[in-house]
DNA sequence: CGTGAAAGAGCGGACTT
DNA sequence: AAGTCCGCTCTTTCACG
């Protein structure tokens, strides 16, 4: 993790379709060196995945919700079961197991509030292990990213 | 937005480095048709960006926190000021303005708890407009994505 | 890490349905 | 309007210095 790799990460976190040549100009290495480094970071799992981000509002997904979920029991088998369900549920974009008042924080996407109501029925009300949940409706996506600022990274 | 585009979106949301040929096999169109469709979706903003996702734990960012923030005043000028600060703060990965108990939900990344403590001092305790905040420490990133499930999309 | 050649992928034009 | 085929160009890849 030297400054070249950090610079590469900074760039590809914003845009992973830059060519090796474009990267090389900004990084100060040869194109091939950039590619070799990126390949290694992908193999090592430093770069976890390369994805396209879709604009929700352009594909009929107009509401985003953040739900705090508390389970009846925090026994491992119930936790794992809940995690598995969240992973396999398409509406769920993100899910975190957390300390604090709630057990899970779930970020999900829906076509409209009716669709979310249906979701709560299926996954929360009909799940005996869900003790309670509290819904926050997103009014403004102030900032939305998965990127890590290079200022915070270490060599 | 026909079924071909939806299939393409499904694929590139998981991996945008697939070649046009690989896509064509799964989609059932020619490679060129896939490229043209993707190009158009990028131009139209349906695909918003193409990014590499970095594994935080491998670059010295070991803790993720989800914070519910309540402001003293919800007057527009204060809201906007807080939003602007969040957008410009590198530690903040995501920030949502929400209805519910809190005003904002902030997802942020830090090197360790000490670094988060410093963060709270700077941005929460020293901000007179922050009435209270509640921190959830992420123990497990169960699911982490910005993707939209294709099952939910409409043609 | 850089160079250079070979293989592969992307891009655009012309033609077809 | 959209898809396919084909050829050119740019990119990636890999062996070697």
């Amino acid at each position: 993790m030297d400054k070249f790799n950090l610079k590469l990460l900074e760039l590809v976190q914003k845009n992973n379709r830059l060519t090796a040549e474009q990267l090389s100009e900004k990084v100060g290495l040869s194109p091939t060196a950039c590619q070799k480094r990126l390949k290694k970071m992908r193999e090592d799992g430093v770069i976890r995945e390369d994805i396209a981000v879709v604009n929700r509002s352009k594909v009929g997904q107009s509401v985003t919700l953040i739900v705090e979920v508390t389970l009846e029991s925090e026994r491992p088998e119930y936790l794992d079961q809940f995690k598995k369900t969240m992973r396999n549920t398409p509406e769920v974009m993100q899910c975190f197991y957390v300390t604090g008042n709630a057990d899970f924080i779930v970020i999900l996407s829906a076509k409209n509030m009716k669709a979310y109501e249906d979701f709560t029925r299926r996954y929360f009300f009909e799940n005996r292990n869900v003790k309670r949940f509290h819904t926050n409706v997103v009014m403004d996506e102030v900032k939305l990213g998965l990127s890590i600022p290079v200022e915070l990274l270490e060599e």
Side-chain angles (χ1 to χ4, degrees), chain A:
Chain A
M1 270 300 141
D2 56 11
K3 67 169 186 169
F4 295 115
N5 275 359
L6 291 181
K7 186 71 183 167
L8 285 169
L9 285 181
E10 179 182 5
L11 293 166
V12 297
Q13 281 194 120
K14 291 199 197 105
N15 181 3
N16 73 351
R17 305 185 76 221
L18 295 170
T19 65
E21 192 179 355
Q22 292 171 312
L23 292 170
S24 75
E25 291 166 10
K26 307 192 183 199
V27 171
L29 290 172
S30 73
T32 5
C34 292
Q35 285 185 327
K36 283 178 187 169
R37 281 163 172 268
L38 285 173
K39 185 176 181 215
K40 182 144 199 327
M41 288 197 281
R42 290 192 167 105
E43 285 167 359
D44 294 348
V46 176
I47 294 176
R48 187 157 95 164
E49 51 185 0
D50 290 85
I51 62 169
V53 179
V54 173
N55 192 334
R56 280 207 296 294
S57 63
K58 299 230 176 188
V59 286
Q61 292 289 291
S62 55
V63 294
T64 302
L65 306 130
I66 304 180
V67 192
E68 298 151 56
V69 180
T70 306
L71 299 189
E72 286 287 353
S73 159
E74 286 198 67
R75 281 171 52 194
E77 56 266 41
Y78 291 124
L79 287 181
D80 288 344
Q81 198 199 333
F82 188 80
K83 289 181 185 181
K84 194 174 167 191
T85 306
M86 291 299 101
R87 279 196 204 96
N88 295 328
T89 303
E91 288 89 342
V92 173
M93 297 171 61
Q94 303 180 42
C95 175
F96 304 90
Y97 176 48
V98 297
T99 65
N101 290 338
D103 294 322
F104 288 92
I105 294 181
V106 182
I107 302 184
L108 51 92
S109 176
K111 193 166 65 177
N112 50 44
M113 288 307 289
K114 174 71 174 61
Y116 175 61
E117 263 185 61
D118 293 346
F119 179 91
T120 61
R121 182 161 304 117
R122 273 209 310 283
Y123 292 98
F124 298 150
F125 287 115
E126 290 183 5
N127 183 339
R128 301 299 303 267
N129 194 31
V130 171
K131 187 192 235 170
R132 62 172 180 272
F133 65 95
H134 177 256
T135 301
N136 300 274
V137 181
V138 173
M139 290 185 286
D140 185 11
E141 286 180 0
V142 179
K143 186 170 184 173
L144 181 57
L146 299 176
S147 303
I148 300 150
V150 172
E151 301 95 291
L152 302 178
L153 302 186
E154 300 177 328
E155 301 202 359

